[in-house]
Structures are given as C-alpha cells and as structure tokens.
Amino acid sequence: MSSVVERLRGALGEDVVSTDPAVLADRRRDYWVLSQLDDLQGRGAPQPACVVRPKTLADVVAVVNACRETKTPLVPFGLGSGVCGGVLVDAGAVVLDLSSMSAVRSVAPTNLLASFDAGVRGSDAEAFLAKQGLTLGHYPQSIGVSTVGGWIATRAAGQFSTGYGNVEDIVFSLEAVLPNGDVIETRGTPRASAGPDLRHVLLGSEGTLGVVTGVTFSIRRAPEHRVSAAFHFPTLEAGFDVQREILQRGWSPVVLRQYDSVEAQRMFSSFARGEDSLLLAVHEGPAAKVEAETRAVRDIAVAGGAVPGDAHATDHWLAERNHLPSFRQFLENGVMVDTIEIAATWDRIGGIYRAAVASLKSVPGILTASAHSSHVYRSGLNLYFTFAVHPEAAAGMRDSYLDCWRLVLKATVDGGGGIAHHHGIGRIRREWLASEIGDVGVSALRAVKRALDPVGFMNPGALIPDG
Ligand SMILES: Cc1cc2nc3c(=O)[nH]c(=O)nc-3n(C[C@H](O)[C@H](O)[C@H](O)COP(=O)(O)OP(=O)(O)OC[C@H]3O[C@@H](n4cnc5c(N)ncnc54)[C@H](O)[C@@H]3O)c2cc1C
C-alpha cells in the first residue's frame, strides 16, 4: 500500500479511504466517450491509489495537505458526468469523491439564497427547493448525474439559461480548499466592487486550482405560469435572425432551442415540417409577463418568416429533456458518437455552422453531422454539433473521433467563434485553449496555477496545456 494511502487512513479512518477495486474502477474517469472507447479497447486509465470519500471540510483539508506534501496527484470527482476528460487518473493518484459531502446547508427564502455541500446531486438540490416553492433555475440535462460543485468546476449551463443565466450568474458565494490547504470563503453580498471576483478563479477551474466544498446559489421562486410554443423556418439563418430579434428587443424566453432540419426530423419526427428548421420556445414567469412575451415572440417569429408549429413539440422536449444517452452500444458497434458545443456572435454563427457541418461530412465513415442552438444571448448564441462516425475498422475509431473534433474546432476558430460553450476543456480541448484565450492568456493561467499550486498536484493533465 502506498505511503499516502496509509497516511490518509491514519488521519481519516479506514471507512473514508477506499482501495476496493470496484470503487477504484468506477472513479478512474468521467463520461468522456474517448475514455469509454479506451476502456472497451483495453487502453483504459489505470486504477488510482485510493478513493477518498470525505465527510467534513477538515477531511478535505487533510487530503489536500497529504497529497501536496507527498506530491501525489489529487483529482476532485463530483459524479463523473463530465464529457471532456476532466477526470482521467494516473496510477497512484488520489481521487477525492465529493459526492460523500451532500448536505443541504441552509435555505433563506427572504434573501432567495440556498447553500449546499459541493457534493449535492443537482436533482436533489432542486427537489429540496421545489418542496418550498423555490427553484435553482439551473437545469443541465445531466442534473440527475452531476453535483453542484461539478457545475462550478466546469462552468455549466442549464437548459433554461436564456432566461435564468448560466451557473456563473446564479452562484452567490463559494467555499473552497486551496492547494496550500487554506479555506477560502468568498463574501456573501448581492454585489461587490472590491477587486477581482475570486469566485471566477474557481469557476471553470476543473479541479486544477482548488477543491470547491460549498456553494451558495441565488435561487428563484417557482414560476407562476409556463407557456410553450414552436415555429418552423425555411432556413436555419431565418430562425437565428428571429432569435436575435427576440433577445435584442428585450424579450427573454427561458428557453429558445433551434434545430437544423436533420435534427428536427431525427428528434421530432411527428412534428417536423419538410426540410424546415424547428424553433422551440418556453415562456415562464408571472402570468401577465408570460402572456405579453408569448404574443410578442409569436409576432416577431411570423414577421421573420416562421410558420407557427405544434407546441406539443416543445412539451415533448420538456418531458424527454433529461434522458441520458448511452454510448456503449454505439461503441460496441464500431460507431463514435459525440457532441461539441461552441459559441459565436450573430454575424459569425451561420458561417461556422456551414463550415463545421461541411468538414464533418468529409470524414470517411461519417453517418450524421448536425446541430442545434440551445443558449441565446443578445450578442450571439451557442451551437451544439452532433456527429456519428463509423470507420471501416475498430482500430480507426480513435483517429476518426479526433478528426471530427479537430475539424469542428478548426471551423469554429477559423470562423471567429469560441471553442467551448459549457462542457469545459478537460483533455479534449486542452491543446486548443490558446485559440480561445491567446498565448498570453495561457501564460497568465499557468502563472495563476504556479502561484496557487507550485507543486502541480491538483488534477494534472486537465485544462491547462503543458508548458
Ligand atoms: C448526458 C449528459 C448531459 C449533460 N448535459 C449538460 C448540460 O446540459 N449542461 C452542462 O453544462 N453540462 C452538461 N453535461 C456535462 C456535465 O454534466 C457537467 O460538466 C457537470 O457540471 C459535471 O459535474 P460532475 O459533478 O459530474 O463533475 P465531474 O464530471 O465529476 O468533474 C468535472 C470536472 O470538475 C472537477 N470537479 C468536480 N467536482 C469538483 C469540486 N467539488 N471541486 C473542484 N473540482 C471539481 C473534476 O476534477 C473534473 O475536472 C452533460 C453530461 C452528460 C453525460
């Protein structure tokens, strides 16, 4: 047994530090499809030295100190729903499984604040609030398989972000253990003009700059009223123009999702209209606001060339939206399926869509290449590409997969877009980070990393490109 495991067992107790092979196997990696392929083809990540399931903040401090002092890689783990390889351990690493810290700390309805341990499952947090007529307003598709701390570490986006914002918009304050073992608590006020906002050092840090142990969210009252709508557009661009008009005129439907014709036909076969693109809208809030917004959005859509569709298409999406896809069967059949989310301003998004889909179609064995938008802003929107590729031989699956990613990210960068809207960087986008934040940005990030974690033991290999 390695000395760090002995030390952790001595400090925290046998029950907190597991070397059970089944537990180690389960916490080696996240949901990244390439890690799943590598497992299937016998190249999977090795077992870590142990999985620690802390019970208290003091346990987390003890683990951080032990790993730093022994120069042992420490990999924070929420529920492993990350899809970019943020978790992929080396032999001998310690995995810190935060899902063992899962208490609701407090709810303050007057201030609309709710505090959770970082390991609380998203759906548990939401269910707890729902009993009191409250809501997070943050519903990633993975809400049932991800933690609130994981949301912070990856800068997650919920499906209702167009109305309610992304995780950075709802996080009120954070508690975290820094790599030197200090505990940082950011101030809890509605706003501060007190230097750089330290929450943003941890937002998106993917376990490389500290361990998030507690999160306070700015929550909402459950909405009084909800209305769904759907519209068909002859072209994707016509729908984008209408989405822009809606946002820029000051309306904020909680959901606007637009599917290209391939996805409209694949996912909404009973509602699709020929080769049209399909736009779904959800309006929520006080009844008077919802009524006015529903009417205004419909007017804007029709003026922009839309044919109003069946709102049941949107209800269908609402009912099915947290369905979790499994890659296993595809992989066993030699097919690589994945999604890539990017973002761009209005003037660039159409060009990026066309270039990315065209380059995906050039990959030998490509079965499908499509996209939808799901998060809209006054200045632009995201696109979420889906591809499936079936190379001739199983030995070519890895390369085909990497080709698809490279082509979509290249089309995005060449077209002036941003390489990651909400899934993070992990390992799949690490070498592209400079095209997002520049070489100077990467150097600055490395300097922050060196200052906070000079030993370099916090989740090495994720997020930050090698120097
Ligand atoms: C089917 C499916 C649907 C998804 N839908 C969405 C979606 O709608 N929106 C979205 O944003 N994402 C989505 N994701 C991606 C994923 O769920 C998010 O990235 C989520 O935030 C990860 O949370 P987790 O707790 O599972 O973290 P993990 O996967 O365990 O970890 C993710 C990264 O964060 C680090 N980390 C985790 N917890 C902590 C902590 N407490 N402190 C410091 N670092 C930590 C890890 O080291 C790792 O680098 C989806 C994933 C799947 C599989």
Side-chain angles (χ1 to χ4, degrees), residues 31 76 78-82 86 140-142 147 150 153-154 156-157 206-207 212 324 422 459:
Y31 208 76
L79 281 168
S81 70
Q141 182 188 2
S142 55
T147 61
T154 57
E206 301 190 18
V212 177
L324 295 179
H422 60 266
N459 204 8

Side-chain angles (χ1 to χ4, degrees), residues 203-449:
L203 276 157
S205 59
E206 301 190 18
T208 64
L209 300 177
V211 181
V212 177
T213 49
V215 186
T216 300
F217 289 115
S218 174
I219 58 173
R220 293 169 184 275
R221 295 187 190 174
E224 182 186 310
H225 196 50
R226 173 189 282 178
V227 167
S228 317
F231 304 95
H232 304 280
F233 290 92
T235 63
L236 196 69
E237 278 81 356
F240 286 170
D241 285 346
V242 161
Q243 292 200 62
R244 180 171 60 81
E245 200 59 26
I246 292 167
L247 269 283
Q248 292 185 352
R249 282 202 205 174
W251 298 106
S252 55
V254 287
V255 177
L256 282 177
R257 296 175 74 86
Q258 188 185 341
Y259 299 82
D260 70 6
S261 61
V262 174
E263 293 198 7
Q265 288 165 31
R266 186 171 68 228
M267 299 173 68
F268 299 91
S269 53
S270 11
F271 302 100
R273 186 174 179 272
E275 296 291 308
D276 280 2
S277 168
L278 177 66
L279 174 68
L280 310 182
V282 179
H283 308 275
E284 272 190 359
K289 179 220 163 203
V290 168
E291 196 186 312
E293 186 178 89
T294 305
R295 203 173 333 108
V297 163
R298 186 185 166 95
D299 290 349
I300 295 169
V302 170
V307 174
D310 184 345
H312 287 108
T314 306
D315 297 335
H316 168 74
W317 171 75
L318 283 166
E320 298 292 321
R321 69 198 160 106
N322 291 337
H323 170 76
L324 295 179
S326 161
F327 295 126
R328 181 83 193 189
Q329 213 177 345
F330 288 110
L331 292 174
E332 284 171 356
N333 288 316
V335 178
M336 297 298 289
V337 177
D338 206 4
T339 59
I340 306 175
E341 20 64 61
I342 60 97
T345 48
W346 292 113
D347 55 340
R348 295 176 172 173
I349 199 77
I352 291 173
Y353 169 80
R354 285 188 296 278
V357 168
S359 41
L360 279 173
K361 284 182 176 165
S362 73
V363 176
I366 197 80
L367 301 175
T368 188
S370 61
H372 65 265
S373 70
S374 45
H375 306 266
V376 196
Y377 308 88
R378 289 193 302 282
S379 54
L381 84 177
N382 83 312
L383 276 180
Y384 195 92
F385 292 98
T386 298
F387 69 83
V389 62
H390 188 181
E392 266 180 25
M397 289 169 75
R398 198 169 214 281
D399 285 346
S400 290
Y401 173 82
L402 293 173
D403 275 351
C404 291
W405 265 89
R406 183 177 51 75
L407 290 170
V408 170
L409 294 187
K410 181 170 185 324
T412 302
V413 171
D414 289 351
I419 58 166
H421 179 267
H422 60 266
H423 284 161
I425 298 296
R427 283 170 172 76
I428 184 68
R429 291 182 166 109
R430 206 168 66 119
E431 300 313 322
W432 291 82
L433 189 60
S435 52
E436 178 79 18
I437 62 174
D439 291 333
V440 174
V442 171
S443 296
L445 186 57
R446 284 199 191 111
V448 173
K449 170 75 174 170

